Amino acid sequence: MNWDVILPLAIFLILVFLVGIYTSRHIKSGPSFLQDYFLAGRELGGFVLAMTMVATYGSASSFIGGPGAAYQLGLGWVLLAMAQLVTGYFTLAVLGKKFAIVARKINAVTLIDFLKARYESKWVVILSALSIVVFLFSAMAAQWVGGGRLIESFTGVSYTTALFIFSASVLVYVIAGGFRAVVITDAIQGVVMVIGTVIILAGTIIAGGGIENIMSELRAENPNLITPYGSDLSLTPLYVSSFWILVGVGVVGLPQISVRAMSYRNAKAMHRAMIIGTFVVGFIMLGMHLAGVFGRVVLPGIEVPDKVMPLLALEVLPGWLAGIVLAAPLAAVMSTVDSVLLLVSSAIIKDVYINYIKPDAEEQFVKKLSFGITAVVGLSVFAMAINPPDLLIWLNLFAFGGLEAAFIWPIVLGLYWKRGNANGAIASLIVGVGSYMFLHLNYPNLWGMHTVVLPILLSLIAYIVGSFTKGVRPHTNTF
Amino acid sequence: MKKGTDWRYRVSNREAIMGTVLAILNFIWWYAFAYGLGGRPIKEYTYIFGFPAWFFYSCIMGFVVFTILVWIMVKFFFKEVPFELDETSDKEEGDAQ
């Protein structure tokens, strides 16, 4: 075992663990328990908000799958990854103040609370809760696999043990601390991600003999590595551009992102988060993916793309520093998983149980139930991840696309278009998810675009057509 | 009660449009440099700090320029509004916090 790598990692895990315990003391009991457990009492400042958005969004694919793809395809994949720069500001600008104001007016704790108040429809709530639970569950499983593999790859323990260490540390701080623990650990993890990016990029550039040298070696190996088209010319402009929808503007539709727009303290916090968030997203995406490309010169011939980052860190850095850097992807995975875990359990408890099964549930019982369901969901993901399906990045993107197609229009048009109504939202949810799954399975990358583009267009049409049908009048009281 | 005339919503609508316009400009910048300069034959590539020019302008400068533009947009054009107005809470929920 490589103790100088493991030690910084262990310290990181313990730190995160302690934060969870510490923040659990801040959870109020009484009537505001749900707001507190699931939204940290709406008091996030700008820095924490930016970091939690970046860390939640920056997942295993940004640190493991993404750099691996960049290693194989070259600068074209970095270009593709930079489509994410827009998420740093677009999401907050669009959800913006309106979402925060409305959420406070109606006392919303979850995204579904918002949809429920906006559309006043049982079916909107049920379909939304269903998509959140199904899609986010599979996204989580993919992330846990990533977390387990990561620990496995640099400690040498078996995959199951690695997965256990990972799950245990995530579960403890999420269950104990709720959203506040999640965002505070996210902030720590965001900082670790930034530092890790700087170190690994610098280390790789030095090991590769400078950027000029790296570029000329890449060109000598395969000139296409330094074009926007990818080493095998598979990256067409249309395909790469379609990622602006999947990982750029479409992120507005991701529940784990939009729920954060309910939690900022004030307008100033939101403003700061937009600036910090844009910088940090851009910096991490550029840095990590570039390191992946440069890694090809430093460590040629890696066959499994997911191993590029860990191997690169171990190659170009001294052990203890590699430990710090490898905490970055672990941080990315953990901070995605923790938010999603909380979201799934809030969908079950708040949106289904309290809405439809027992609206008058007692406070103490809800509290116990929140801890309990979060634990059960976490343990079932652990069970799923023991026998992992392959292709981490694609499973993750599958969930992303499905959620975006489902939610982008009910959220955005729900906020900004008065005529939008329940029929539109239901049509949009069904058409979005249905067409995404159908196309993903039968005609992936239709007309050379990422599968997500068409379902988002179709669900827009469905929303508009649905909203013009008679029967449900547009609802404008609260909004 | 006021219906959809909350002045804060107008601020929010305007800012949502600004964010969208900036995203469109961002896309154009990114695309034009990447495929404008990067679409040439590789022999004709020029290099800046070791990076191919298309990559330098599209990804690196794009990142710098748009981070600065976001800062300018937020600092000079975004308005601070209160999220909770006292007048709105006189109806229904007495907010038990």
Side-chain angles (χ1 to χ4, degrees), chain B residues 2-31:
Chain B
K2 41 195 169 180
K3 259 191 185 175
T5 49
D6 194 328
W7 64 276
R8 297 173 301 169
Y9 290 168
R10 278 199 305 276
V11 172
S12 174
N13 292 350
R14 215 189 54 216
E15 292 175 0
I17 291 170
M18 281 195 272
T20 308
V21 170
L22 196 66
I24 293 169
L25 292 176
N26 196 347
F27 176 80
I28 294 171
W29 174 291
W30 170 92
Y31 190 96

PDB file of all heavy atoms in Angstrom, chain B residues 2-31:
ATOM      1  N   LYS B   2     -51.659  42.478  -6.111  1.00  0.00           N
ATOM      2  CA  LYS B   2     -51.021  42.680  -7.419  1.00  0.00           C
ATOM      3  C   LYS B   2     -50.832  41.332  -8.105  1.00  0.00           C
ATOM      4  O   LYS B   2     -50.433  40.352  -7.486  1.00  0.00           O
ATOM      5  CB  LYS B   2     -49.676  43.360  -7.221  1.00  0.00           C
ATOM      6  CG  LYS B   2     -48.943  42.793  -6.013  1.00  0.00           C
ATOM      7  CD  LYS B   2     -47.810  43.693  -5.615  1.00  0.00           C
ATOM      8  CE  LYS B   2     -47.276  43.241  -4.260  1.00  0.00           C
ATOM      9  NZ  LYS B   2     -46.222  43.961  -3.724  1.00  0.00           N
ATOM     10  N   LYS B   3     -51.128  41.340  -9.378  1.00  0.00           N
ATOM     11  CA  LYS B   3     -51.021  40.088 -10.122  1.00  0.00           C
ATOM     12  C   LYS B   3     -49.885  40.190 -11.116  1.00  0.00           C
ATOM     13  O   LYS B   3     -49.987  40.912 -12.109  1.00  0.00           O
ATOM     14  CB  LYS B   3     -52.324  39.832 -10.872  1.00  0.00           C
ATOM     15  CG  LYS B   3     -53.197  38.819 -10.160  1.00  0.00           C
ATOM     16  CD  LYS B   3     -54.323  38.414 -11.062  1.00  0.00           C
ATOM     17  CE  LYS B   3     -55.270  37.493 -10.321  1.00  0.00           C
ATOM     18  NZ  LYS B   3     -56.432  37.179 -11.125  1.00  0.00           N
ATOM     19  N   GLY B   4     -48.792  39.514 -10.854  1.00  0.00           N
ATOM     20  CA  GLY B   4     -47.693  39.498 -11.820  1.00  0.00           C
ATOM     21  C   GLY B   4     -47.080  40.869 -12.051  1.00  0.00           C
ATOM     22  O   GLY B   4     -46.359  41.083 -13.008  1.00  0.00           O
ATOM     23  N   THR B   5     -47.407  41.817 -11.161  1.00  0.00           N
ATOM     24  CA  THR B   5     -46.840  43.140 -11.358  1.00  0.00           C
ATOM     25  C   THR B   5     -45.736  43.415 -10.351  1.00  0.00           C
ATOM     26  O   THR B   5     -45.234  44.520 -10.279  1.00  0.00           O
ATOM     27  CB  THR B   5     -47.909  44.223 -11.214  1.00  0.00           C
ATOM     28  OG1 THR B   5     -48.626  43.963 -10.011  1.00  0.00           O
ATOM     29  CG2 THR B   5     -48.860  44.222 -12.378  1.00  0.00           C
ATOM     30  N   ASP B   6     -45.415  42.416  -9.569  1.00  0.00           N
ATOM     31  CA  ASP B   6     -44.319  42.544  -8.616  1.00  0.00           C
ATOM     32  C   ASP B   6     -43.085  43.108  -9.333  1.00  0.00           C
ATOM     33  O   ASP B   6     -42.593  42.519 -10.285  1.00  0.00           O
ATOM     34  CB  ASP B   6     -44.005  41.143  -8.047  1.00  0.00           C
ATOM     35  CG  ASP B   6     -43.118  41.229  -6.825  1.00  0.00           C
ATOM     36  OD1 ASP B   6     -42.283  42.156  -6.767  1.00  0.00           O
ATOM     37  OD2 ASP B   6     -43.255  40.371  -5.931  1.00  0.00           O
ATOM     38  N   TRP B   7     -42.624  44.257  -8.897  1.00  0.00           N
ATOM     39  CA  TRP B   7     -41.510  44.906  -9.621  1.00  0.00           C
ATOM     40  C   TRP B   7     -40.257  44.035  -9.640  1.00  0.00           C
ATOM     41  O   TRP B   7     -39.448  44.103 -10.547  1.00  0.00           O
ATOM     42  CB  TRP B   7     -41.186  46.264  -8.999  1.00  0.00           C
ATOM     43  CG  TRP B   7     -40.674  46.174  -7.578  1.00  0.00           C
ATOM     44  CD1 TRP B   7     -41.430  46.081  -6.455  1.00  0.00           C
ATOM     45  CD2 TRP B   7     -39.315  46.149  -7.153  1.00  0.00           C
ATOM     46  NE1 TRP B   7     -40.633  45.989  -5.341  1.00  0.00           N
ATOM     47  CE2 TRP B   7     -39.326  46.050  -5.746  1.00  0.00           C
ATOM     48  CE3 TRP B   7     -38.090  46.225  -7.824  1.00  0.00           C
ATOM     49  CZ2 TRP B   7     -38.156  45.992  -4.992  1.00  0.00           C
ATOM     50  CZ3 TRP B   7     -36.929  46.171  -7.065  1.00  0.00           C
ATOM     51  CH2 TRP B   7     -36.966  46.060  -5.658  1.00  0.00           C
ATOM     52  N   ARG B   8     -40.155  43.161  -8.649  1.00  0.00           N
ATOM     53  CA  ARG B   8     -38.959  42.313  -8.610  1.00  0.00           C
ATOM     54  C   ARG B   8     -38.947  41.316  -9.763  1.00  0.00           C
ATOM     55  O   ARG B   8     -37.899  40.877 -10.214  1.00  0.00           O
ATOM     56  CB  ARG B   8     -38.911  41.560  -7.276  1.00  0.00           C
ATOM     57  CG  ARG B   8     -38.781  42.489  -6.089  1.00  0.00           C
ATOM     58  CD  ARG B   8     -38.915  41.730  -4.806  1.00  0.00           C
ATOM     59  NE  ARG B   8     -40.205  41.044  -4.704  1.00  0.00           N
ATOM     60  CZ  ARG B   8     -40.483  40.137  -3.771  1.00  0.00           C
ATOM     61  NH1 ARG B   8     -39.576  39.800  -2.887  1.00  0.00           N
ATOM     62  NH2 ARG B   8     -41.662  39.551  -3.736  1.00  0.00           N
ATOM     63  N   TYR B   9     -40.133  40.954 -10.220  1.00  0.00           N
ATOM     64  CA  TYR B   9     -40.187  40.018 -11.348  1.00  0.00           C
ATOM     65  C   TYR B   9     -39.685  40.659 -12.630  1.00  0.00           C
ATOM     66  O   TYR B   9     -39.079  40.003 -13.465  1.00  0.00           O
ATOM     67  CB  TYR B   9     -41.613  39.496 -11.550  1.00  0.00           C
ATOM     68  CG  TYR B   9     -42.074  38.565 -10.459  1.00  0.00           C
ATOM     69  CD1 TYR B   9     -43.405  38.206 -10.357  1.00  0.00           C
ATOM     70  CD2 TYR B   9     -41.165  38.031  -9.545  1.00  0.00           C
ATOM     71  CE1 TYR B   9     -43.842  37.340  -9.353  1.00  0.00           C
ATOM     72  CE2 TYR B   9     -41.587  37.174  -8.546  1.00  0.00           C
ATOM     73  CZ  TYR B   9     -42.929  36.832  -8.449  1.00  0.00           C
ATOM     74  OH  TYR B   9     -43.352  35.984  -7.473  1.00  0.00           O
ATOM     75  N   ARG B  10     -39.948  41.961 -12.772  1.00  0.00           N
ATOM     76  CA  ARG B  10     -39.442  42.630 -13.975  1.00  0.00           C
ATOM     77  C   ARG B  10     -37.914  42.641 -13.981  1.00  0.00           C
ATOM     78  O   ARG B  10     -37.284  42.406 -14.999  1.00  0.00           O
ATOM     79  CB  ARG B  10     -39.994  44.055 -14.060  1.00  0.00           C
ATOM     80  CG  ARG B  10     -41.392  44.123 -14.636  1.00  0.00           C
ATOM     81  CD  ARG B  10     -41.709  45.528 -15.125  1.00  0.00           C
ATOM     82  NE  ARG B  10     -41.521  46.527 -14.058  1.00  0.00           N
ATOM     83  CZ  ARG B  10     -42.452  46.816 -13.153  1.00  0.00           C
ATOM     84  NH1 ARG B  10     -43.608  46.211 -13.191  1.00  0.00           N
ATOM     85  NH2 ARG B  10     -42.218  47.723 -12.218  1.00  0.00           N
ATOM     86  N   VAL B  11     -37.343  42.895 -12.811  1.00  0.00           N
ATOM     87  CA  VAL B  11     -35.883  42.841 -12.685  1.00  0.00           C
ATOM     88  C   VAL B  11     -35.395  41.449 -13.064  1.00  0.00           C
ATOM     89  O   VAL B  11     -34.479  41.277 -13.869  1.00  0.00           O
ATOM     90  CB  VAL B  11     -35.464  43.161 -11.229  1.00  0.00           C
ATOM     91  CG1 VAL B  11     -33.970  42.920 -11.039  1.00  0.00           C
ATOM     92  CG2 VAL B  11     -35.825  44.584 -10.879  1.00  0.00           C
ATOM     93  N   SER B  12     -36.066  40.468 -12.511  1.00  0.00           N
ATOM     94  CA  SER B  12     -35.661  39.088 -12.752  1.00  0.00           C
ATOM     95  C   SER B  12     -35.783  38.702 -14.225  1.00  0.00           C
ATOM     96  O   SER B  12     -34.893  38.059 -14.786  1.00  0.00           O
ATOM     97  CB  SER B  12     -36.518  38.177 -11.878  1.00  0.00           C
ATOM     98  OG  SER B  12     -36.262  36.853 -12.181  1.00  0.00           O
ATOM     99  N   ASN B  13     -36.882  39.123 -14.856  1.00  0.00           N
ATOM    100  CA  ASN B  13     -37.062  38.820 -16.279  1.00  0.00           C
ATOM    101  C   ASN B  13     -35.942  39.428 -17.117  1.00  0.00           C
ATOM    102  O   ASN B  13     -35.400  38.788 -18.008  1.00  0.00           O
ATOM    103  CB  ASN B  13     -38.403  39.374 -16.784  1.00  0.00           C
ATOM    104  CG  ASN B  13     -39.579  38.633 -16.171  1.00  0.00           C
ATOM    105  OD1 ASN B  13     -39.397  37.604 -15.522  1.00  0.00           O
ATOM    106  ND2 ASN B  13     -40.770  39.156 -16.353  1.00  0.00           N
ATOM    107  N   ARG B  14     -35.632  40.681 -16.804  1.00  0.00           N
ATOM    108  CA  ARG B  14     -34.591  41.365 -17.572  1.00  0.00           C
ATOM    109  C   ARG B  14     -33.254  40.641 -17.411  1.00  0.00           C
ATOM    110  O   ARG B  14     -32.514  40.450 -18.367  1.00  0.00           O
ATOM    111  CB  ARG B  14     -34.475  42.801 -17.079  1.00  0.00           C
ATOM    112  CG  ARG B  14     -34.137  43.779 -18.189  1.00  0.00           C
ATOM    113  CD  ARG B  14     -33.814  45.149 -17.648  1.00  0.00           C
ATOM    114  NE  ARG B  14     -32.779  45.080 -16.640  1.00  0.00           N
ATOM    115  CZ  ARG B  14     -32.752  45.860 -15.558  1.00  0.00           C
ATOM    116  NH1 ARG B  14     -33.712  46.723 -15.349  1.00  0.00           N
ATOM    117  NH2 ARG B  14     -31.771  45.747 -14.684  1.00  0.00           N
ATOM    118  N   GLU B  15     -32.971  40.228 -16.191  1.00  0.00           N
ATOM    119  CA  GLU B  15     -31.688  39.568 -15.952  1.00  0.00           C
ATOM    120  C   GLU B  15     -31.610  38.196 -16.598  1.00  0.00           C
ATOM    121  O   GLU B  15     -30.553  37.773 -17.057  1.00  0.00           O
ATOM    122  CB  GLU B  15     -31.438  39.471 -14.442  1.00  0.00           C
ATOM    123  CG  GLU B  15     -31.202  40.833 -13.836  1.00  0.00           C
ATOM    124  CD  GLU B  15     -31.072  40.805 -12.327  1.00  0.00           C
ATOM    125  OE1 GLU B  15     -31.163  39.718 -11.729  1.00  0.00           O
ATOM    126  OE2 GLU B  15     -30.877  41.885 -11.751  1.00  0.00           O
ATOM    127  N   ALA B  16     -32.763  37.512 -16.652  1.00  0.00           N
ATOM    128  CA  ALA B  16     -32.780  36.218 -17.325  1.00  0.00           C
ATOM    129  C   ALA B  16     -32.465  36.400 -18.812  1.00  0.00           C
ATOM    130  O   ALA B  16     -31.720  35.614 -19.406  1.00  0.00           O
ATOM    131  CB  ALA B  16     -34.142  35.547 -17.152  1.00  0.00           C
ATOM    132  N   ILE B  17     -32.989  37.474 -19.392  1.00  0.00           N
ATOM    133  CA  ILE B  17     -32.702  37.740 -20.812  1.00  0.00           C
ATOM    134  C   ILE B  17     -31.224  38.067 -20.999  1.00  0.00           C
ATOM    135  O   ILE B  17     -30.570  37.559 -21.914  1.00  0.00           O
ATOM    136  CB  ILE B  17     -33.601  38.884 -21.333  1.00  0.00           C
ATOM    137  CG1 ILE B  17     -35.048  38.396 -21.386  1.00  0.00           C
ATOM    138  CG2 ILE B  17     -33.136  39.351 -22.710  1.00  0.00           C
ATOM    139  CD1 ILE B  17     -36.060  39.483 -21.657  1.00  0.00           C
ATOM    140  N   MET B  18     -30.681  38.882 -20.091  1.00  0.00           N
ATOM    141  CA  MET B  18     -29.256  39.208 -20.205  1.00  0.00           C
ATOM    142  C   MET B  18     -28.391  37.958 -20.131  1.00  0.00           C
ATOM    143  O   MET B  18     -27.441  37.784 -20.902  1.00  0.00           O
ATOM    144  CB  MET B  18     -28.851  40.185 -19.095  1.00  0.00           C
ATOM    145  CG  MET B  18     -29.259  41.605 -19.383  1.00  0.00           C
ATOM    146  SD  MET B  18     -28.402  42.751 -18.284  1.00  0.00           S
ATOM    147  CE  MET B  18     -29.505  42.781 -16.905  1.00  0.00           C
ATOM    148  N   GLY B  19     -28.723  37.077 -19.193  1.00  0.00           N
ATOM    149  CA  GLY B  19     -27.964  35.831 -19.063  1.00  0.00           C
ATOM    150  C   GLY B  19     -28.044  34.999 -20.332  1.00  0.00           C
ATOM    151  O   GLY B  19     -27.044  34.419 -20.767  1.00  0.00           O
ATOM    152  N   THR B  20     -29.227  34.976 -20.942  1.00  0.00           N
ATOM    153  CA  THR B  20     -29.403  34.197 -22.166  1.00  0.00           C
ATOM    154  C   THR B  20     -28.596  34.802 -23.318  1.00  0.00           C
ATOM    155  O   THR B  20     -27.935  34.091 -24.071  1.00  0.00           O
ATOM    156  CB  THR B  20     -30.899  34.157 -22.548  1.00  0.00           C
ATOM    157  OG1 THR B  20     -31.628  33.720 -21.400  1.00  0.00           O
ATOM    158  CG2 THR B  20     -31.143  33.207 -23.694  1.00  0.00           C
ATOM    159  N   VAL B  21     -28.641  36.132 -23.428  1.00  0.00           N
ATOM    160  CA  VAL B  21     -27.877  36.788 -24.492  1.00  0.00           C
ATOM    161  C   VAL B  21     -26.381  36.522 -24.321  1.00  0.00           C
ATOM    162  O   VAL B  21     -25.671  36.196 -25.288  1.00  0.00           O
ATOM    163  CB  VAL B  21     -28.159  38.312 -24.505  1.00  0.00           C
ATOM    164  CG1 VAL B  21     -27.183  39.035 -25.432  1.00  0.00           C
ATOM    165  CG2 VAL B  21     -29.599  38.577 -24.919  1.00  0.00           C
ATOM    166  N   LEU B  22     -25.923  36.608 -23.095  1.00  0.00           N
ATOM    167  CA  LEU B  22     -24.506  36.348 -22.847  1.00  0.00           C
ATOM    168  C   LEU B  22     -24.138  34.904 -23.224  1.00  0.00           C
ATOM    169  O   LEU B  22     -23.074  34.643 -23.789  1.00  0.00           O
ATOM    170  CB  LEU B  22     -24.161  36.600 -21.376  1.00  0.00           C
ATOM    171  CG  LEU B  22     -22.668  36.723 -21.080  1.00  0.00           C
ATOM    172  CD1 LEU B  22     -22.088  37.968 -21.730  1.00  0.00           C
ATOM    173  CD2 LEU B  22     -22.399  36.749 -19.582  1.00  0.00           C
ATOM    174  N   ALA B  23     -25.050  33.972 -22.931  1.00  0.00           N
ATOM    175  CA  ALA B  23     -24.791  32.575 -23.288  1.00  0.00           C
ATOM    176  C   ALA B  23     -24.700  32.415 -24.802  1.00  0.00           C
ATOM    177  O   ALA B  23     -23.850  31.677 -25.313  1.00  0.00           O
ATOM    178  CB  ALA B  23     -25.894  31.677 -22.718  1.00  0.00           C
ATOM    179  N   ILE B  24     -25.547  33.140 -25.531  1.00  0.00           N
ATOM    180  CA  ILE B  24     -25.512  33.049 -26.998  1.00  0.00           C
ATOM    181  C   ILE B  24     -24.201  33.633 -27.535  1.00  0.00           C
ATOM    182  O   ILE B  24     -23.541  33.033 -28.391  1.00  0.00           O
ATOM    183  CB  ILE B  24     -26.736  33.785 -27.611  1.00  0.00           C
ATOM    184  CG1 ILE B  24     -28.019  33.018 -27.240  1.00  0.00           C
ATOM    185  CG2 ILE B  24     -26.605  33.891 -29.123  1.00  0.00           C
ATOM    186  CD1 ILE B  24     -29.301  33.764 -27.537  1.00  0.00           C
ATOM    187  N   LEU B  25     -23.806  34.800 -26.993  1.00  0.00           N
ATOM    188  CA  LEU B  25     -22.528  35.387 -27.400  1.00  0.00           C
ATOM    189  C   LEU B  25     -21.370  34.434 -27.106  1.00  0.00           C
ATOM    190  O   LEU B  25     -20.450  34.281 -27.901  1.00  0.00           O
ATOM    191  CB  LEU B  25     -22.291  36.709 -26.665  1.00  0.00           C
ATOM    192  CG  LEU B  25     -23.221  37.859 -27.030  1.00  0.00           C
ATOM    193  CD1 LEU B  25     -22.917  39.072 -26.151  1.00  0.00           C
ATOM    194  CD2 LEU B  25     -23.064  38.216 -28.498  1.00  0.00           C
ATOM    195  N   ASN B  26     -21.466  33.803 -25.942  1.00  0.00           N
ATOM    196  CA  ASN B  26     -20.438  32.849 -25.531  1.00  0.00           C
ATOM    197  C   ASN B  26     -20.323  31.718 -26.547  1.00  0.00           C
ATOM    198  O   ASN B  26     -19.224  31.347 -26.972  1.00  0.00           O
ATOM    199  CB  ASN B  26     -20.832  32.302 -24.162  1.00  0.00           C
ATOM    200  CG  ASN B  26     -19.683  31.601 -23.454  1.00  0.00           C
ATOM    201  OD1 ASN B  26     -18.653  31.298 -24.054  1.00  0.00           O
ATOM    202  ND2 ASN B  26     -19.853  31.344 -22.182  1.00  0.00           N
ATOM    203  N   PHE B  27     -21.469  31.206 -26.961  1.00  0.00           N
ATOM    204  CA  PHE B  27     -21.467  30.130 -27.950  1.00  0.00           C
ATOM    205  C   PHE B  27     -20.835  30.607 -29.249  1.00  0.00           C
ATOM    206  O   PHE B  27     -20.002  29.923 -29.828  1.00  0.00           O
ATOM    207  CB  PHE B  27     -22.900  29.640 -28.210  1.00  0.00           C
ATOM    208  CG  PHE B  27     -22.986  28.594 -29.281  1.00  0.00           C
ATOM    209  CD1 PHE B  27     -22.678  27.271 -28.994  1.00  0.00           C
ATOM    210  CD2 PHE B  27     -23.326  28.935 -30.585  1.00  0.00           C
ATOM    211  CE1 PHE B  27     -22.720  26.298 -29.985  1.00  0.00           C
ATOM    212  CE2 PHE B  27     -23.381  27.967 -31.579  1.00  0.00           C
ATOM    213  CZ  PHE B  27     -23.078  26.640 -31.281  1.00  0.00           C
ATOM    214  N   ILE B  28     -21.204  31.777 -29.713  1.00  0.00           N
ATOM    215  CA  ILE B  28     -20.683  32.287 -30.986  1.00  0.00           C
ATOM    216  C   ILE B  28     -19.153  32.441 -30.909  1.00  0.00           C
ATOM    217  O   ILE B  28     -18.429  32.012 -31.809  1.00  0.00           O
ATOM    218  CB  ILE B  28     -21.353  33.635 -31.339  1.00  0.00           C
ATOM    219  CG1 ILE B  28     -22.842  33.399 -31.616  1.00  0.00           C
ATOM    220  CG2 ILE B  28     -20.675  34.278 -32.547  1.00  0.00           C
ATOM    221  CD1 ILE B  28     -23.655  34.668 -31.765  1.00  0.00           C
ATOM    222  N   TRP B  29     -18.684  33.026 -29.837  1.00  0.00           N
ATOM    223  CA  TRP B  29     -17.238  33.197 -29.635  1.00  0.00           C
ATOM    224  C   TRP B  29     -16.527  31.854 -29.709  1.00  0.00           C
ATOM    225  O   TRP B  29     -15.541  31.670 -30.425  1.00  0.00           O
ATOM    226  CB  TRP B  29     -16.992  33.858 -28.277  1.00  0.00           C
ATOM    227  CG  TRP B  29     -15.561  33.975 -27.880  1.00  0.00           C
ATOM    228  CD1 TRP B  29     -14.719  32.944 -27.547  1.00  0.00           C
ATOM    229  CD2 TRP B  29     -14.785  35.173 -27.780  1.00  0.00           C
ATOM    230  NE1 TRP B  29     -13.481  33.424 -27.234  1.00  0.00           N
ATOM    231  CE2 TRP B  29     -13.498  34.794 -27.364  1.00  0.00           C
ATOM    232  CE3 TRP B  29     -15.076  36.534 -27.984  1.00  0.00           C
ATOM    233  CZ2 TRP B  29     -12.480  35.719 -27.154  1.00  0.00           C
ATOM    234  CZ3 TRP B  29     -14.054  37.459 -27.754  1.00  0.00           C
ATOM    235  CH2 TRP B  29     -12.772  37.045 -27.362  1.00  0.00           C
ATOM    236  N   TRP B  30     -17.046  30.930 -28.936  1.00  0.00           N
ATOM    237  CA  TRP B  30     -16.466  29.590 -28.813  1.00  0.00           C
ATOM    238  C   TRP B  30     -16.442  28.888 -30.174  1.00  0.00           C
ATOM    239  O   TRP B  30     -15.436  28.336 -30.599  1.00  0.00           O
ATOM    240  CB  TRP B  30     -17.324  28.837 -27.794  1.00  0.00           C
ATOM    241  CG  TRP B  30     -17.123  27.377 -27.621  1.00  0.00           C
ATOM    242  CD1 TRP B  30     -16.288  26.768 -26.733  1.00  0.00           C
ATOM    243  CD2 TRP B  30     -17.822  26.321 -28.297  1.00  0.00           C
ATOM    244  NE1 TRP B  30     -16.417  25.403 -26.818  1.00  0.00           N
ATOM    245  CE2 TRP B  30     -17.343  25.109 -27.765  1.00  0.00           C
ATOM    246  CE3 TRP B  30     -18.802  26.289 -29.290  1.00  0.00           C
ATOM    247  CZ2 TRP B  30     -17.819  23.864 -28.202  1.00  0.00           C
ATOM    248  CZ3 TRP B  30     -19.266  25.057 -29.721  1.00  0.00           C
ATOM    249  CH2 TRP B  30     -18.768  23.862 -29.181  1.00  0.00           C
ATOM    250  N   TYR B  31     -17.557  28.949 -30.876  1.00  0.00           N
ATOM    251  CA  TYR B  31     -17.694  28.238 -32.154  1.00  0.00           C
ATOM    252  C   TYR B  31     -16.843  28.893 -33.239  1.00  0.00           C
ATOM    253  O   TYR B  31     -16.131  28.218 -33.980  1.00  0.00           O
ATOM    254  CB  TYR B  31     -19.169  28.236 -32.581  1.00  0.00           C
ATOM    255  CG  TYR B  31     -19.459  27.322 -33.749  1.00  0.00           C
ATOM    256  CD1 TYR B  31     -19.936  26.043 -33.525  1.00  0.00           C
ATOM    257  CD2 TYR B  31     -19.249  27.736 -35.060  1.00  0.00           C
ATOM    258  CE1 TYR B  31     -20.209  25.183 -34.585  1.00  0.00           C
ATOM    259  CE2 TYR B  31     -19.505  26.885 -36.124  1.00  0.00           C
ATOM    260  CZ  TYR B  31     -19.992  25.608 -35.884  1.00  0.00           C
ATOM    261  OH  TYR B  31     -20.249  24.762 -36.924  1.00  0.00           O
TER     262      TYR B  31
END
